Protein backbone atom coordinates (compact mmCIF):
# COMPACT_ATOMS: atom_id res chain seq x y z
CA UNK A 1 0.00 0.00 0.00
CA UNK A 2 2.92 2.33 0.71
CA UNK A 3 4.13 1.97 -2.90
CA UNK A 4 0.65 2.89 -4.13
CA UNK A 5 0.41 5.96 -1.93
CA UNK A 6 4.03 6.94 -2.73
CA UNK A 7 3.14 6.95 -6.41
CA UNK A 8 1.03 10.05 -5.95
CA UNK A 9 -2.41 8.50 -6.45
CA UNK A 10 -5.30 9.71 -4.36
CA UNK A 11 -6.75 7.64 -1.55
CA UNK A 12 -9.79 7.08 -3.76
CA UNK A 13 -7.58 5.70 -6.53
CA UNK A 14 -5.67 3.60 -4.01
CA UNK A 15 -8.96 2.03 -2.91
CA UNK A 16 -9.36 0.65 -6.44
CA UNK A 17 -6.29 -1.48 -5.79
CA UNK A 18 -7.96 -3.28 -2.88
CA UNK A 19 -9.02 -6.24 -5.05
CA UNK A 20 -5.55 -6.60 -6.52
CA UNK A 21 -3.97 -6.42 -3.09
CA UNK A 22 -6.26 -9.23 -1.96
CA UNK A 23 -5.19 -11.23 -5.02
CA UNK A 24 -1.59 -10.55 -4.07
CA UNK A 25 -2.13 -11.85 -0.56
CA UNK A 26 -3.71 -15.04 -1.89
CA UNK A 27 -0.83 -15.45 -4.36
CA UNK A 28 1.89 -15.16 -1.73
CA UNK A 29 0.11 -16.49 1.34
CA UNK A 30 1.73 -19.92 1.07
CA UNK A 31 4.81 -18.90 -0.88
CA UNK A 32 8.11 -20.15 0.46
CA UNK A 33 11.53 -19.18 -0.83
CA UNK A 34 12.36 -21.33 -3.83
CA UNK A 35 15.78 -22.56 -4.82
CA UNK A 36 15.92 -22.20 -8.59
CA UNK A 37 19.50 -23.43 -9.13
CA UNK A 38 20.99 -26.04 -6.80
CA UNK A 39 24.64 -25.16 -6.35
CA UNK A 40 27.18 -24.60 -3.59
CA UNK A 41 25.65 -21.13 -3.57
CA UNK A 42 21.95 -21.90 -4.13
CA UNK A 43 20.20 -19.34 -6.35
CA UNK A 44 16.83 -18.54 -4.82
CA UNK A 45 13.74 -16.35 -5.09
CA UNK A 46 12.28 -15.10 -1.82
CA UNK A 47 8.96 -13.51 -0.90
CA UNK A 48 10.41 -9.98 -0.89
CA UNK A 49 11.52 -10.24 -4.51
CA UNK A 50 8.29 -11.93 -5.56
CA UNK A 51 6.33 -9.06 -4.01
CA UNK A 52 8.58 -6.53 -5.73
CA UNK A 53 7.98 -8.13 -9.13
CA UNK A 54 4.25 -8.37 -8.55
CA UNK A 55 3.76 -4.83 -7.26
CA UNK A 56 6.07 -3.03 -9.67
CA UNK A 57 6.19 -5.07 -12.87
CA UNK A 58 2.76 -6.61 -13.57
CA UNK A 59 -0.30 -5.05 -15.20
CA UNK A 60 -2.50 -5.99 -12.24
CA UNK A 61 -0.71 -3.64 -9.87
CA UNK A 62 1.17 -1.31 -12.21
CA UNK A 63 1.37 2.35 -11.22
CA UNK A 64 2.55 4.67 -13.95
CA UNK A 65 2.87 7.67 -11.66
CA UNK A 66 5.47 9.25 -9.42
CA UNK A 67 8.75 7.36 -8.98
CA UNK A 68 7.30 4.30 -10.74
CA UNK A 69 6.55 6.04 -14.04
CA UNK A 70 8.10 4.27 -17.00
CA UNK A 71 8.77 0.93 -15.30
CA UNK A 72 8.69 -2.07 -17.60
CA UNK A 73 5.95 -4.66 -17.36
CA UNK A 74 5.82 -8.39 -17.69
CA UNK A 75 3.06 -9.59 -19.99
CA UNK A 76 2.44 -12.58 -17.72
CA UNK A 77 0.76 -13.58 -14.47
CA UNK A 78 3.01 -14.09 -11.43
CA UNK A 79 3.19 -17.92 -11.75
CA UNK A 80 4.21 -17.50 -15.39
CA UNK A 81 6.87 -14.98 -14.35
CA UNK A 82 8.35 -17.51 -11.92
CA UNK A 83 8.42 -20.11 -14.71
CA UNK A 84 10.00 -17.56 -17.08
CA UNK A 85 12.67 -16.83 -14.47
CA UNK A 86 13.41 -20.55 -14.09
CA UNK A 87 13.74 -20.98 -17.87
CA UNK A 88 15.93 -17.90 -18.23
CA UNK A 89 18.18 -19.07 -15.38
CA UNK A 90 18.67 -22.42 -17.09
CA UNK A 91 19.88 -20.65 -20.23
CA UNK A 92 22.50 -18.61 -18.36
CA UNK A 93 23.14 -21.13 -15.56
CA UNK A 94 26.74 -21.82 -16.60
CA UNK A 95 27.57 -18.10 -16.54
CA UNK A 96 26.05 -17.80 -13.07
CA UNK A 97 27.98 -20.80 -11.76
CA UNK A 98 31.21 -19.53 -13.33
CA UNK A 99 30.71 -16.16 -11.65
CA UNK A 100 30.23 -17.72 -8.22
CA UNK A 101 33.17 -20.08 -8.72
CA UNK A 102 35.43 -17.14 -9.57
CA UNK A 103 34.47 -15.21 -6.47
CA UNK A 104 34.05 -18.21 -4.14
CA UNK A 105 37.03 -17.24 -2.01
CA UNK A 106 36.22 -13.53 -1.82
CA UNK A 107 34.98 -12.43 1.57
CA UNK A 108 32.37 -10.15 0.01
CA UNK A 109 31.15 -11.85 -3.12
CA UNK A 110 30.19 -9.57 -5.96
CA UNK A 111 26.69 -9.51 -7.38
CA UNK A 112 26.06 -11.36 -10.61
CA UNK A 113 24.54 -8.87 -13.06
CA UNK A 114 23.38 -9.74 -16.53
CA UNK A 115 21.38 -8.15 -19.31
CA UNK A 116 20.30 -10.76 -21.81
CA UNK A 117 17.74 -11.67 -24.46
CA UNK A 118 15.51 -14.68 -23.95
CA UNK A 119 12.80 -15.58 -26.47
CA UNK A 120 13.18 -12.22 -28.23
CA UNK A 121 12.67 -10.17 -25.06
CA UNK A 122 15.46 -8.50 -23.11
CA UNK A 123 15.83 -8.80 -19.33
CA UNK A 124 17.92 -7.56 -16.44
CA UNK A 125 18.92 -10.03 -13.74
CA UNK A 126 20.86 -9.46 -10.55
CA UNK A 127 21.81 -12.06 -7.95
CA UNK A 128 23.55 -10.99 -4.76
CA UNK A 129 26.63 -12.72 -3.38
CA UNK A 130 24.49 -14.97 -1.19
CA UNK A 131 22.49 -16.28 -4.16
CA UNK A 132 19.35 -14.19 -3.60
CA UNK A 133 17.71 -12.89 -6.76
CA UNK A 134 17.49 -9.14 -6.17
CA UNK A 135 16.40 -7.96 -9.60
CA UNK A 136 14.54 -9.46 -12.52
CA UNK A 137 12.60 -7.42 -15.02
CA UNK A 138 12.02 -6.94 -18.69
CA UNK A 139 13.92 -4.18 -20.47
CA UNK A 140 12.52 -1.87 -23.09
CA UNK A 141 15.11 -2.59 -25.78
CA UNK A 142 16.88 -5.63 -27.18
CA UNK A 143 19.88 -3.61 -28.34
CA UNK A 144 23.42 -4.73 -27.53
CA UNK A 145 22.68 -7.70 -25.24
CA UNK A 146 23.99 -11.22 -25.83
CA UNK A 147 21.42 -13.43 -27.51
CA UNK A 148 20.27 -16.51 -25.60
CA UNK A 149 17.36 -18.51 -26.96
CA UNK A 150 15.67 -21.77 -26.15
Amino acid sequence: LKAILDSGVSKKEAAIWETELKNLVSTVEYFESRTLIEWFTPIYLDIEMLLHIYTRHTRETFLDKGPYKGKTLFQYKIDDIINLLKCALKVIENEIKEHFLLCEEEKNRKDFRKKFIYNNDSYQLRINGNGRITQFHQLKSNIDYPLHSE
Side-chain angles (χ1 to χ4, degrees):
L1 190 56
K2 181 182 180 322
I4 293 171
L5 294 173
D6 286 350
S7 72
V9 300
S10 69
K11 287 185 180 184
K12 182 179 177 182
E13 288 173 302
I16 295 170
W17 294 97
E18 183 175 2
T19 301
E20 291 306 329
L21 291 173
K22 286 180 181 178
N23 289 341
L24 172 63
V25 169
S26 68
T27 298
V28 301
E29 185 173 15
Y30 300 105
F31 183 86
E32 294 180 15
S33 292
R34 297 180 188 179
T35 299
L36 303 178
I37 296 178
E38 292 287 343
W39 187 238
F40 70 90
T41 300
I43 307 303
Y44 66 95
L45 176 68
D46 63 11
I47 188 73
E48 183 179 343
M49 187 60 199
L50 179 70
L51 288 170
H52 171 86
I53 291 171
Y54 189 80
T55 59
R56 304 254 179 102
H57 297 284
T58 65
R59 290 210 180 280
E60 293 84 2
T61 56
F62 181 63
L63 295 169
D64 197 21
K65 296 183 177 191
Y68 308 108
K69 189 167 183 68
K71 293 276 186 179
T72 56
L73 295 177
F74 284 105
Q75 306 299 316
Y76 310 105
K77 299 287 185 191
I78 196 67
D79 288 337
D80 297 326
I81 294 169
I82 293 169
N83 288 332
L84 171 69
L85 177 57
K86 287 178 186 178
C87 290
L89 286 172
K90 282 200 179 296
V91 171
I92 60 172
E93 183 173 356
N94 288 339
E95 292 177 64
I96 295 167
K97 288 179 176 180
E98 183 178 317
H99 168 82
F100 282 102
L101 277 175
L102 289 174
C103 58
E104 177 183 13
E105 295 183 18
E106 294 180 26
K107 188 172 185 173
N108 295 315
R109 291 186 186 160
K110 295 178 182 167
D111 287 3
F112 173 84
R113 297 175 185 214
K114 178 83 175 167
K115 292 179 183 177
F116 63 96
I117 295 175
Y118 177 75
N119 285 346
N120 296 318
D121 291 313
S122 53
Y123 298 93
Q124 170 79 33
L125 172 70
R126 183 181 303 167
I127 303 169
N128 76 10
N130 296 320
R132 180 178 174 266
I133 296 169
T134 58
Q135 185 179 56
F136 180 64
H137 62 88
Q138 194 165 351
L139 298 169
K140 293 180 182 181
S141 171
N142 290 349
I143 299 171
D144 295 332
Y145 304 127
L147 179 61
H148 294 280
S149 300
E150 255 188 316

